[in-house]
Structure formats: structure tokens, C-alpha cells
Amino acid sequence: MVDDALSSPGQAGVRRITELTELFAWLACVAFTVQLVLLGSGLVRIPLALLVVGVLASWWVRPDGDPWWTTGVEAVAAFGAVLVLPSAEPAIGFLFAVVVRRALRGDAVLLPVKSVPVLLGYLTGVGTWVVLEPVEATGPLLASTLLPLVGLTIVSLALHEIVRSARRLEAAHRTVEAVIRASPVGLVLLDGDGAPTLHNDRARRLFDWPEGRSGRVPCPHGPDITACGRGCRGADDPVEVDVERPDGTTAVLAVQAVPVDHVPDRHTLVTALDVSKRRQWEDALRTRVERDELTGLAGRTHFLHLVDDALRSGEAVGLLVIDLDGFKEVNDAEGHEAGDWYLVSAAERIGRAVGPVATAARLGGDEFAVLAPGHDVRESARLATRVLSELARPLTGLGHDTVIRASVGISVSQPGLGTADLLRDADTAMYVAKREGGARIRLFRPEMGERVLARQRDKADLRTAVADGQLVLHYQPIVDLATGRATGAETLVRWQRPGHGLLGPGEFIGLAEETGLIVPLGNKVLAGACEQAMRWREQGRALGVTVNVSTRQLSAPAFLPSLDRVLKTSGLPPERLTVEVTESVWADEAAMRGLMDVRETGVRVALDDFGTGYSSLSYLQRYPFDVVKIDKSFTGNLDDAGRTAGVVRCIVDLAEVLGAHTVAEGIETQEQADWLRAAGCDYAQGYLFGRPDLAENWDAQPSVTG
């Protein structure tokens, strides 16, 4: 298709002129040779005829060449022909033949150089003839001799330029042809009816046209881009067209149709580029933006756009925020791969529960959301119930039965409520459901927002308290029941909150756990306690300190290096420090491993509130403790004949078997102390021996001297 289109009528005409000129040159030279032999005078005519035959032979042997020696032969033949022939016309014919033929084959520089010898030979022959013959050099004679030469020169140069122009045009056509053939872009020239008049192979392959045939160029709105009424022809940007392949695949082409104004009949130039790969990349990128990579649910950004669109519709919009309860424990205990599987399972169940009536999304971490257009409060609550029911079905993929528990908050659109407001209200309701124990649904109410704001203020104030030194350490004596002397002190933290007075740990430790501030808070308490123990030691008091450490602190990888740094900085011997934990530590493997690492450093380990939580003899046997603390719920009801007294005796005996000391908490009367001493309990603490107080006030308490 490209070859046919680039073969112009002008090139065909030049070829015909070249062929006719070649024929004329051969005929003229053959006639010239015959005239020399038959009409020439003297024997020299034969050598001259042979010279002309030599010129013809060179043409035959080298049809495209022009040897230099032929210029001399031509000059001699022209010179001699004027002298031996009865007239100059045959010589002029010979001149025309060789010069015109050379004009078709020589280049711009060599044409005049190679043509001069034969012309000079002819003119020299004419001059010699005039001298030898008694002929008067009249004007007509000179005109008849020179004018043909002038005409020959002009015609030869003109013909030469025509041929050179034709060759340049042909070279340009070939260059264009090569470019079009090699172009990675499909090129098609359409006529006024939309039929291709020119196209390259790339276009044929892109549009899947059969070999030797062409079809129409489609656009997104129809089978013929030139007939599109939506402006595809002449558009500033390409349009994308899907083209079905015989193998069932679909290629995406970027097609642009440009009107060709200087070509008659409303021609159109079409470019086509395969953008299938780009479309795949764009689709993949769009999927990554719109979909959560792990679960396949809608991603946060895309989900918020969907909420925007739903709110603009004007109908009621229900929004559910779902937070999985206890996911951190699953992730820590089972590993991140199990945690990911847990999230995927939850996502599948949420998606199944909401079905096609709503859109589920993962907002991040273990937090999900559901957009329910057209759902009022009642319908949103029913949807939330279905979600919790679906999540509650037993999950067996972790090697044991697990139930996914979740807290769900619901908010329903109101006039003037934006996406951020709707999401904030649902999140607030979810937070309330989680604080109430989880595994429940709560609908947002305005007063919830006030409580949450207050909670946020508490968090901000606690963060400031940790940073600005508002935390105060009090110490309660731990007394040796056998001697009545204090051997140590339990460190208890208080918050001197501006405007609220001195707050006990029960009012802020839960908040610290929730916000993660328990780690920096615990580090400050640990450092302060060790420094105080060293001050007592410098004063001659052999008092150890006990510090409560949370499970979250112990499970943090940085806890052990932090503890080591505190001991080295303060100089306190490790055996003078006791780390106190509750039985909940047994439910956290990471914390339990951390606790055993702490014990390896020489720091003592105490089990607080024994018997009130996850008590297990197997745990006590596997994980040794240095101290077992008897909770005040037991010591407050001591009676020789009572069941409580029997339990306390069992705890004391068990601790002795395990090689641990016992500390009884909450001792308020001398009778309790005497009973415990008789039962074999080692140590005790409580109001009988001293209330928690600042270290500088200990001197006023005679019972706590070291």
C-alpha cells in the first residue's frame, strides 16, 4: 500500500523520457556510424566509425557509467566527422546523442566538464573545414553552426536538472517510505468517504486488517472516525479505541484523526498507537488506589470519595465503623502472617454480610467501614447486626477455634453533615462500644462526642504530664514480718494534675495503656525508683524497690535495653530491684519472654494479686517467680476456721515449695500481721506499716527505718 501510494505519475514520466532519450542516443550513434562508412570520404572514415562503435560498446558494458576516455573518443569522432562527411548535420546528431545521454546520467559538476571535449571537437572541425574549403564565413553559416550547439547546451542542462529533481523527489519518497514503514505508529490516510488510500504495515496490524485489504478506522462512538458526530475527527487529543483480536484479547489504541486541508476531497490523516500496556498499568494503579492491597476491599481514599458522592445524592446514608477486638493479641501471639490472614478473613465476612446493598472498606490496621446508601438508623443497625453475626462464626484457620469479635459504631447522615463529620461520629460510637467491653454496636449520640472530647483532653494532658514532670512517686513500705522492719518499698505513681489535684493510678493508668503512654511513663517511674533506692543506700538504708511494670512495657523490644541503661546510670545492683507484674502477663507470650529475660539479669520478679486472675500451677512451675504477693481480698477476710484462711495457707505453702517469698498486701491490723507471721508469710505491706508517701516524708514514720 505504501509503494503504490508513493509511486507518483511524475516519476513514471521521467522514466519514459529516460527510455526515449536512450533510444534516441543509440539510434543517432548507429546512424552516425553508417553515415561515416557510406557517405564519408577517404579512408579515415573507417577509423572514425570504429571510434563511434567503441563509444556504443562502452554504453553497452557500463550502461550507468561514463568513462573518461570516451570524452576524448567523442571529440575525435566529432572533429573527423565534420571533415569527411558532406554536411555537419550527422555530427550535430552525434553531439545531441552523447550530450543528452550524459545529461541524464552525469552529475551537476561533471556534465559540463565531460561535455566540453566533444563540443570543442565539433567546433574545431567546423573551423578547420572553413579554412580548408573556400567558404565565406557568413552570418547564416555561423548561425547554422553555433545555434544548434547553444540549443543543445540549454536542452542538456534543462534535462539534467529535471532528472536530478526527479531523483531527489524519488529519494525523498523512498526516505518517507522507509520512515513510514519503520514507524512504531500506525499511519493511515483516509479519503472523504473514510476509506484508506494509504497505510503502513503497522496500521494494518494494529487495526487487524487482513493482508492486502484495509478497513475502516473506528472511534469510541462508531466504526468510522471520519463520520463521528462527537468531534473525534480533528480533536486536540487522541481517543482510545478497544480493538478485539482473533485470539480473544483486546488491544487499546490511541487514535487521532487530523484533517488534511491541502488535499482535496476532505482527506484525513490518522495516527494509531498501541497503549494496551499503559492501560494495564493505569488499571493496576487505579486498583491499588481504590482497593486495599491485602483484603481487596475499597481503600480509605476511594471509600471517602464514595461517601462524598452518597451524601450529595440527598438520601439517607448510614456509615458503620468496625474495629476488631483483640487483634493485637492475635498478631503478637500468632505472628504477622496469621494476623494478615485474620484480617482477610474478617474482610471476607464483612463483605459477605453487607452484600450488594453496601460498600465495605478497610480504613487501615484492623479498622473497617461500611457505606450503606439509603439506610436509616433502623436499617443501619440491622446491617451492623448481620456483620457481627457473620464475624462471630468460628474461625478455624489458626489451628484452633477463634471467634472474631468487633466493636461497631453507627452514624446516619443529617442535613449539613459532611463526610468527615459522619466518619468522626461513627468512629466515636465505635470507641464507646469498645470502652464498654467490645463485641457490641453503638449508635452515635451527641453526648458521646462530649465524652470523647473530654477523653481526648485527658490524653493530651497525660502526654503533657509525662513530658513535663507532673508525675509524682510515692513509696509504701514492705515489712519483714519476723523483725517488723522495712526491707523495701513499693513504688506507686501519682499524677499531680493542674486543676484536679493528686490523682491515683486508677484514674489514669488505663488511659496510659490505651494511648501507648504507658511505656514512657513506666520508664520514668523505673528510673525514678532506682535513683531513690540509690539515695537510700547512700544514707545507709538497705531498702530495695518494687516497680509495677505493664504487659505492654514487657512486650516492647526496647524494654530490656532501657532497664539495663537505668541500672547502669543509677548504679543500683539488680538484686535490689523487683519488677512486679500481674497474672495477665501469662496471656501474652512476648511479655512473658521479656519477663524471663529480665530475670536473667538478676532483677527479682514478683507476681502481684496471686489467685485473682489467670492463676495456673503449670505456669508457676514453668516460669519461676521470686515473690508471690497475696491480694488484699484474701488478707482482709482472714479467719482461722474460714475458707479464706485456708486459701492463704495454701498460697504460702505453694510459694515455699516453689522457692518464692510471699508478701501479703492490705494489712491494716496487728491481728492480721500476727496471723500471717504464724502462717509462715515472709513480708507484708499495708496501712498498718505505712501509707504510700513521698520519700522525704519517710523519716517521720518510725516503722520504716531500715
Side-chain angles (χ1 to χ4, degrees):
M1 191 71 181
V2 174
D3 288 336
D4 295 340
L6 293 179
S7 298
S8 65
Q11 291 176 316
V14 170
R15 282 197 296 271
R16 286 194 296 271
I17 292 173
T18 303
E19 292 168 357
L20 290 174
T21 302
E22 187 76 23
L23 178 61
F24 161 74
W26 276 88
L27 291 177
C29 287
V30 170
F32 182 51
T33 303
V34 172
Q35 288 174 319
L36 283 173
V37 174
L38 299 181
L39 301 179
S41 59
L43 295 176
V44 73
R45 72 182 188 279
I46 301 302
L48 291 175
L50 292 175
L51 290 176
V52 177
V53 171
V55 172
L56 291 175
S58 71
W59 291 359
W60 181 266
V61 174
R62 297 179 61 185
D64 295 325
D66 195 20
W68 279 97
W69 62 266
T70 59
T71 60
V73 172
E74 293 165 358
V76 173
F79 173 80
V82 174
L83 298 178
V84 301
L85 289 173
S87 67
E89 284 78 4
I92 292 174
F94 175 67
L95 287 177
F96 267 88
V98 297
V99 173
V100 171
R101 184 180 182 277
R102 183 170 288 119
L104 292 174
R105 286 170 171 77
D107 58 48
V109 176
L110 296 181
L111 172 63
V113 175
K114 287 188 174 182
S115 298
V116 166
V118 68
L119 295 176
L120 289 178
Y122 170 75
L123 290 174
T124 303
V126 171
T128 303
W129 176 72
V130 170
V131 172
L132 295 178
E133 296 290 332
V135 178
E136 183 179 356
T138 62
L141 178 62
L142 294 175
S144 63
T145 303
L146 297 178
L147 284 178
L149 299 182
V150 175
L152 172 62
T153 302
I154 294 172
V155 170
S156 299
L157 292 175
L159 182 60
H160 182 67
E161 287 302 318
I162 290 172
V163 172
R164 288 190 67 221
S165 298
R167 287 179 178 173
R168 284 196 296 269
L169 179 61
E170 183 178 3
H173 282 177
R174 294 303 172 191
T175 301
V176 172
E177 177 186 353
V179 170
I180 291 176
R181 284 186 181 279
S183 174
V185 178
L187 299 172
V188 184
L189 184 64
L190 304 175
D191 62 17
D193 296 325
T197 61
L198 165 66
H199 67 267
N200 61 1
D201 290 339
R202 180 63 174 165
R204 180 181 58 78
R205 290 194 297 270
L206 289 177
F207 290 110
D208 198 32
W209 292 335
E211 188 72 41
R213 295 171 55 193
S214 58
R216 301 281 174 167
V217 175
C219 74
H221 313 112
D224 186 353
I225 197 169
T226 62
C228 178
R230 302 192 188 181
C232 287
R233 181 180 185 269
D236 293 335
D237 298 314
V239 294
E240 293 191 357
V241 182
D242 293 341
V243 177
E244 297 291 334
R245 300 294 190 210
D247 60 2
T249 61
T250 300
V252 183
L253 306 182
V255 178
Q256 189 163 18
V258 181
V260 184
D261 297 330
H262 63 278
V263 176
D265 300 330
R266 198 173 173 267
H267 276 56
T268 304
L269 177 64
V270 174
T271 62
L273 186 66
D274 191 340
V275 294
S276 302
K277 289 292 185 184
R278 191 200 71 195
R279 171 74 72 81
Q280 292 174 5
W281 294 334
E282 288 175 348
D283 290 345
L285 182 60
R286 187 178 300 107
T287 299
R288 292 191 65 179
V289 171
E290 294 181 354
R291 295 287 165 186
D292 175 62
E293 192 170 356
L294 176 64
T295 64
L297 298 181
R300 183 184 185 91
T301 302
H302 180 56
F303 180 77
L304 295 180
H305 287 315
L306 294 178
V307 177
D308 287 338
D309 295 340
L311 290 176
R312 279 194 290 268
S313 69
E315 64 178 350
V317 175
L319 182 64
L320 281 58
V321 170
I322 306 160
D323 192 85
L324 304 185
D325 299 331
F327 171 71
K328 181 182 182 300
E329 287 73 13
V330 173
N331 208 37
D332 291 344
E334 307 289 346
H336 291 298
E337 288 187 9
D340 288 347
W341 177 83
Y342 191 83
L343 291 175
V344 171
S345 300
E348 291 174 350
R349 294 186 175 198
I350 293 171
R352 230 178 0 251
V354 303
V357 301
T359 300
R362 182 186 178 207
L363 300 182
D366 60 342
E367 190 173 56
F368 298 84
V370 174
L371 170 64
H375 283 54
D376 58 16
V377 171
R378 186 184 300 273
E379 292 166 330
S380 298
R382 281 201 293 263
L383 185 63
T385 302
R386 284 205 305 271
V387 169
L388 285 190
S389 298
E390 186 68 27
L391 288 174
R393 291 191 302 105
L395 193 66
T396 59
L398 296 176
H400 53 82
D401 285 351
T402 304
V403 174
I404 302 177
R405 301 170 71 252
S407 302
V408 182
I410 302 173
S411 63
V412 178
S413 61
Q414 301 291 334
L417 208 62
T419 297
D421 302 322
L422 196 65
L423 183 63
R424 180 202 61 215
D425 291 349
D427 195 61
T428 298
M430 179 276 296
Y431 176 78
V432 171
K434 189 169 285 290
R435 285 197 63 194
E436 291 179 355
R440 66 195 65 205
I441 301 164
R442 288 293 177 263
L443 175 68
F444 174 78
R445 295 190 303 274
E447 57 268 25
M448 287 182 178
E450 296 172 5
R451 290 203 299 270
V452 169
L453 286 175
R455 190 71 170 175
Q456 290 173 343
R457 285 194 296 270
D458 291 344
K459 292 178 182 178
D461 289 350
L462 182 58
R463 188 172 287 106
T464 301
V466 173
D468 294 352
Q470 296 176 13
L471 301 177
V472 180
L473 299 186
H474 285 200
Y475 300 90
Q476 185 174 34
I478 299 175
V479 175
D480 186 338
L481 288 173
T483 64
R485 302 180 67 84
T487 59
E490 181 176 359
T491 308
L492 300 169
V493 64
R494 304 288 188 264
W495 179 10
Q496 189 67 55
R497 187 178 184 184
H500 294 77
L502 192 66
L503 304 182
E507 297 186 58
F508 62 89
I509 290 298
L511 184 63
E513 290 274 6
E514 180 184 317
T515 58
L517 289 171
I518 191 66
V519 174
L521 186 154
N523 290 339
K524 282 185 174 292
V525 172
L526 184 64
C530 290
E531 290 168 3
Q532 180 59 48
M534 281 302 296
R535 283 194 288 271
W536 282 328
R537 183 176 179 141
E538 291 166 359
Q539 295 169 6
R541 295 181 177 182
L543 295 174
V545 286
T546 297
V547 178
N548 291 277
V549 176
S550 73
T551 300
R552 187 163 184 174
Q553 277 181 275
L554 283 172
S555 61
F559 179 73
L560 192 62
S562 176
L563 173 64
D564 184 62
R565 187 165 53 250
V566 166
L567 291 173
K568 288 181 179 178
T569 302
S570 64
L572 183 70
E575 64 273 11
R576 303 304 296 171
L577 172 65
T578 300
V579 169
E580 185 174 302
V581 297
T582 63
E583 292 173 347
S584 62
V585 72
W586 283 325
D588 190 320
E589 286 192 15
M592 201 65 224
R593 287 194 299 269
L595 186 63
M596 292 300 100
D597 291 338
V598 167
R599 195 168 186 270
E600 289 295 323
T601 66
V603 173
R604 289 155 50 91
V605 175
L607 180 62
D608 193 19
D609 301 336
F610 180 77
T612 63
Y614 301 87
S615 298
S616 168
L617 294 179
S618 64
Y619 279 127
L620 282 173
Q621 190 174 9
R622 273 190 294 163
Y623 303 113
F625 286 82
D626 300 291
V627 178
V628 174
K629 302 190 76 173
I630 305 171
D631 187 70
K632 63 182 179 180
S633 62
F634 296 114
T635 59
N637 296 299
L638 289 176
D639 186 344
D640 281 341
R643 299 176 68 182
T644 302
V647 171
V648 172
R649 286 194 183 91
C650 287
I651 295 174
V652 171
D653 293 341
L654 177 63
E656 184 178 359
V657 170
L658 296 174
H661 295 292
T662 50
V663 176
E665 296 181 299
I667 307 306
E668 298 182 0
T669 66
Q670 188 61 48
E671 289 76 11
Q672 291 173 333
D674 293 341
W675 190 97
L676 288 166
R677 185 185 306 108
C681 183
D682 301 306
Y683 302 93
Q685 66 183 94
Y687 289 169
L688 176 65
F689 309 108
R691 292 175 177 271
D693 203 349
L694 297 172
E696 52 264 31
N697 295 333
W698 272 40
D699 290 336
Q701 301 183 32
S703 61
V704 299
T705 55

